[in-house]
């Protein structure tokens, strides 16, 4: 096992009715910004619960944070935070609202020229200060509710970049599984696939004799494979929704990634698909991952065999046949929840491949993945296999 430094101070309040505890969590005597997305919180009753719980608090609202939150929109909130001397920001929404709030919180304290720099120049600049924030999560998927990462899109340059800072970890996150009841099927499927791929990024690499991390990871994959379809079949199944929600949080709160190599190439390539074609985040992962598994089948051989056996019960055949069957099982799982795994499903052809490769080259990447050896020609190969 590799050395690691694990830090996760996020207070999780899980279950029905927990939104009512907001008044004990949000600091009194400070101006609170309530930030939300396109309005789902008004139709599913979450907004009313938040307002009721925060009666008597001094609040200002900022709505309209879009999926794949835009730098351009978030900078408007930064202005309000500064002007109104906001001391706490409450994100009420999915991963996009949460990520947007993390950016707003850090950007409002940024002393450099342009806060975009802590995304664009991430290797050099870190946002170390931020306004305190908390969340009421309405979509299980990203794990943002219990981690230090945020992903922001800059529309003017068609860039989608991430930053991470302990300063933006939520003070608390409220996870009430009944929020799943109002989710469109598409968003439930997205959440299942995103969480599944988060685990894969931290698990499907090479063995380092870390059985706790492996078995934690496998338990999350199995839970998503079992409970995800139950939620798809009946989104009002509270127990299935609760298991799905907790699995998605556990998939990316840092625990399973302790002391193990991590890949993240699928996400890095997927972000380009969103940046250029606005495909939902999870859907980009379902396209890229099967291609990556094929291209990296030799490097990932031991873990592919372990994953196939322990998650999908693939035990017969030669090693090569078992790997083929494991990749096929992964594809059929994604497709079973209605998520396609090809570029053509979105009308994207071969001409897009050099665009992605040029972008990686322009950023100076020579290789990505757990060994830093997924080269730009191999990225092209991954996408070609998924045409
Ligand atoms: O905007 P509203 O009206 O709220 O509607 C949203 C949005 O249209 C809707 N929705 C959310 N909760 C709902 C609901 N509709 C009905 N009922 C509810 N309870 O769902 C739509 C999608 O929301 P969004 O927040 O965009 O989805 P998700 O949670 O999948 O977040 C995706 C974003 O997170 C980033 C992605 O790149 C993407 O930008 N990620 C963040 C990560 C992190 N911080 O660690 C890791 C991930 O890999 C990912 O990159
Ligand atoms: Zn993701």
């Amino acid at each position: 096992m590799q050395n690691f430094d694990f830090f996760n101070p996020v207070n999780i309040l899980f279950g029905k009715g927990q939104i009512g505890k907001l008044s004990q969590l949000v600091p009194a005597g400070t101006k609170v910004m309530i930030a939300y997305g396109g309005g789902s919180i008004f139709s599913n009753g979450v907004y009313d619960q938040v307002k009721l719980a925060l009666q008597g608090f001094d609040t200002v609202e900022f709505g309209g944070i879009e999926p794949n939150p835009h730098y351009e929109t978030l900078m408007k909130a930064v202005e309000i935070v500064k002007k109104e001397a906001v001391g706490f920001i409450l994100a009420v929404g999915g991963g996009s609202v949460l990520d947007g709030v993390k950016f707003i919180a850090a950007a409002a304290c940024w002393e450099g020229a342009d806060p975009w720099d802590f995304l664009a120049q991430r290797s050099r600049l870190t946002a170390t200060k931020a306004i305190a924030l908390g969340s009421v999560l309405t979509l299980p998927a990203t794990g943002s509710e219990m981690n230090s990462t945020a992903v922001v899109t800059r529309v003017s340059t068609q860039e989608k970049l991430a930053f991470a800072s302990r300063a933006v970890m939520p003070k608390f996150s409220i996870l009430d599984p009944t929020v799943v009841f109002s989710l469109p099927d598409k968003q439930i499927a997205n959440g299942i696939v995103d969480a599944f791929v988060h685990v894969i990024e931290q698990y499907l690499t090479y063995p380092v004799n870390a059985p706790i991390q492996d078995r934690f990871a496998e338990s999350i994959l199995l839970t998503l494979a079992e409970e995800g379809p139950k939620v798809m079949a009946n989104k009002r199944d509270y127990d299935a929704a609760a298991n799905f929600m907790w699995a998605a949080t556990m998939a990316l709160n840092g625990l399973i990634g302790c002391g193990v190599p991590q890949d993240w190439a699928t996400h890095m390539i997927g972000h380009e698909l969103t940046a250029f074609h606005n495909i939902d985040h999870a859907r980009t992962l379902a396209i890229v991952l099967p291609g990556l598994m094929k291209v990296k089948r030799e490097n990932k051989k031991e873990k592919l065999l372990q994953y196939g056996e322990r998650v999908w019960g693939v035990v017969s055949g030669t090693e090569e046949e078992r790997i083929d069957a494991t990749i096929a099982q992964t594809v059929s799982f994604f497709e079973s929840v209605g998520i396609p795994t090809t570029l053509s499903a979105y009308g994207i052809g071969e001409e897009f491949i050099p665009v992605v490769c040029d972008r990686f080259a322009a950023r100076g990447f020579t290789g990505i993945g757990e060994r830093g050896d997924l080269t730009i020609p191999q990225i092209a190969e991954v996408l070609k296999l998924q045409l």
Side-chain angles (χ1 to χ4, degrees), residues 8-282:
N8 200 317
V10 184
N11 182 8
I12 297 290
L13 284 89
F14 191 97
K16 273 180 208 165
Q18 297 282 34
I19 297 174
K21 298 207 178 125
L22 266 177
S23 61
Q24 300 159 35
L25 301 162
V26 172
T30 188
K31 186 134 200 174
V32 180
M33 174 179 270
I34 301 173
Y36 55 88
S40 68
I41 63 164
F42 295 109
S43 39
N44 61 15
V46 171
Y47 176 81
D48 291 341
Q49 291 181 62
V50 168
K51 287 298 276 186
L52 185 67
L54 290 182
Q55 260 177 4
F57 280 74
D58 183 11
T59 59
V60 55
E61 295 182 14
F62 184 83
I65 298 178
E66 50 286 280
N68 310 307
H70 296 172
Y71 162 83
E72 290 83 351
T73 305
L74 304 174
M75 288 306 285
K76 292 181 191 155
V78 172
E79 285 310 307
I80 299 170
V81 165
K82 286 182 179 168
K83 196 166 128 232
E84 305 261 348
V86 166
F88 190 88
I89 314 180
L90 181 67
V92 186
S96 293
V97 173
L98 253 150
D99 284 9
V101 163
K102 289 176 177 176
F103 177 82
I104 296 164
C109 299
W110 183 247
E111 285 160 9
D114 181 349
W116 182 251
D117 290 344
F118 60 73
L119 292 107
Q121 300 184 42
R122 186 180 168 183
S123 54
R124 237 174 24 88
L125 298 173
T126 309
T128 51
K129 281 192 252 161
I131 290 173
L133 61 107
S135 84
V136 175
L137 181 71
T138 65
L139 199 176
T142 63
S144 186
E145 65 278 9
M146 202 177 174
N147 71 32
S148 60
T149 304
V151 191
V152 178
T153 295
R154 189 164 187 163
V155 181
S156 60
T157 53
Q158 288 187 300
E159 287 177 286
K160 183 174 183 183
L161 297 172
F163 79 96
S165 167
R166 286 183 179 180
V168 299
M169 291 186 87
K171 299 292 172 217
F172 64 82
S173 284
I174 297 182
L175 278 57
D176 177 343
T178 63
V179 296
V180 171
F181 299 174
S182 66
L183 278 173
D185 291 352
K186 176 182 154 178
Q187 296 301 345
I188 295 173
N190 283 355
I192 295 166
V193 169
D194 192 20
F196 195 91
V197 180
H198 291 160
V199 179
I200 292 282
E201 298 273 25
Q202 301 164 85
Y203 165 79
L204 196 69
T205 56
Y206 54 87
V208 290
N209 196 1
I212 301 246
Q213 292 87 326
D214 278 4
R215 291 189 174 111
F216 278 165
E218 287 151 4
S219 72
I220 300 169
L221 296 173
L222 282 162
T223 302
L224 289 166
E226 286 167 15
E227 303 293 314
K230 287 188 205 164
V231 186
M232 292 295 293
N234 175 14
K235 64 182 84 164
R236 298 190 80 86
D237 177 343
Y238 178 83
D239 289 331
N243 287 321
F244 163 43
M245 194 169 214
W246 190 225
T249 300
M250 292 302 292
L252 196 51
N253 66 1
L255 187 67
I256 63 168
C258 289
V260 295
Q262 301 193 22
D263 184 341
W264 297 107
T266 297
H267 270 70
M268 290 178 77
I269 303 168
H271 285 173
E272 299 305 331
L273 287 166
T274 304
F276 285 108
H277 288 284
N278 205 25
I279 302 174
D280 290 353
H281 170 65

Side-chain angles (χ1 to χ4, degrees), residues 205-206 296-302 370-371 373:
T205 56
Y206 54 87
K296 284 287 173 197
R297 59 188 292 149
E298 202 45 49
N299 288 42
K300 292 179 182 289
K301 188 176 205 162
E302 286 154 291
E370 67 273 18
R371 291 185 167 100
D373 65 353

Side-chain angles (χ1 to χ4, degrees), residues 286-368:
I287 297 168
V288 177
L289 180 64
L292 185 95
M293 286 171 157
K294 292 172 203 161
V295 168
K296 284 287 173 197
R297 59 188 292 149
E298 202 45 49
N299 288 42
K300 292 179 182 289
K301 188 176 205 162
E302 286 154 291
K303 290 305 273 294
L304 270 167
L305 291 166
Q306 179 179 320
Y307 159 63
E309 178 175 344
R310 296 191 188 173
V311 176
W312 300 119
V314 177
V315 286
S316 58
T318 63
E319 288 188 339
E320 293 311 316
E321 285 165 352
R322 282 155 57 198
I323 290 172
D324 286 340
T326 299
I327 298 171
Q329 286 277 4
T330 308
V331 168
S332 90
F333 175 55
F334 294 163
E335 289 179 348
S336 74
V337 294
I339 301 217
T341 55
T342 61
L343 287 164
S344 52
Y346 300 92
I348 300 171
E350 206 154 353
E351 66 289 347
F352 176 59
I353 298 175
V355 177
V356 174
C357 293
D358 288 351
R359 177 127 295 172
F360 278 100
R363 294 217 182 98
F365 286 112
T366 44
I368 55 174

